[in-house]
Amino acid sequence: MTAVSLGPTPARRDTLRRRVRLLVTATITYNVVEAVVAITAGTLASSAALVGFGLDSVVEVASAAAVAWQFSTPEHEKREKTALRVIALSFFALAAYVTVDALRTLLGAGEADHSTPGLILAALSLVVMPLLSYAQRRAGRELGSASAVADSRQTLLCTYLSAVLLAGLALNSAFGWSWADPIAALVIAAVAVKEGREAWRGDSCCAVPAASVSAPADTAHDDGCAGGCR
């Protein structure tokens, strides 16, 4: 066993709370713009994946807003469960809509066209989202907030979805593989269901400050997470 210090000091906790609020504000701002561009471009191109990506941005806004509401009071721990429920329900709503729309496309309801704005947006999100997610995840872990960590995972999900979206749009544009778009949308839906279940159960990795308990030396990681959680 290794001796570790207790959790962050009150001053440090205040700093972390301010950091979470700042990151949440940045996330909401970016995702509002992302949602407008993606849904507009997706509608014009009849792209289920692009519209689904835009709706994921709406979900991310709802998720971040729940965390912002939680951290609007010093006693944010009391709002933790409610914030997690909002995040989970947002995931499930996204998965339901995207699945129905993607299946309609696969059954011949329409084919997606090329979308230059969609390609640019997906590439940009691949750069922006990992940075926001990493910063919020570290602050959430140190603070011991399951909802902040869950929201950071929602932001990280946007990174993965950006890669899936970019691949689907690129394949459709380059080779005319219209089926690639709804398949990419179904991948988005599947990942959303998984993340929603974990948020509902409160399975946010390393949500409790690792520094608040003693831990065997061979299971401690540099970022304070046990079990290889990232």
Side-chain angles (χ1 to χ4, degrees), residues 18-37:
R18 288 194 298 270
R19 183 176 301 171
V20 169
R21 288 196 295 268
L22 177 62
L23 291 168
V24 164
T25 300
T27 299
I28 290 175
T29 301
Y30 181 84
N31 276 279
V32 167
V33 175
E34 186 178 67
V36 172
V37 174

Side-chain angles (χ1 to χ4, degrees), residues 70 100 110 125:
Q70 178 192 351
V100 171
S125 293

Side-chain angles (χ1 to χ4, degrees), residues 5-14 16 139 141-144 208-212:
S5 61
L6 295 178
T9 64
R12 177 61 176 168
R13 291 180 66 83
D14 287 341
L16 291 170
R141 284 174 177 172
E142 187 177 351
L143 190 57
V208 178
S212 64

Side-chain angles (χ1 to χ4, degrees), residues 130-156:
L131 299 176
L132 289 173
S133 175
Y134 175 77
Q136 186 174 343
R137 184 170 66 252
R138 287 188 63 87
R141 284 174 177 172
E142 187 177 351
L143 190 57
S145 171
S147 61
V149 175
D151 186 54
S152 77
R153 293 174 68 175
Q154 162 68 282
T155 305
L156 186 61

Side-chain angles (χ1 to χ4, degrees), residues 6 32 61 77 101 106 113 118 146 176 193 201 214 226:
L6 295 178
V32 167
V61 170
E77 294 87 354
D101 200 42
L106 284 173
D113 299 323
V193 169
R201 294 195 304 260
S214 296

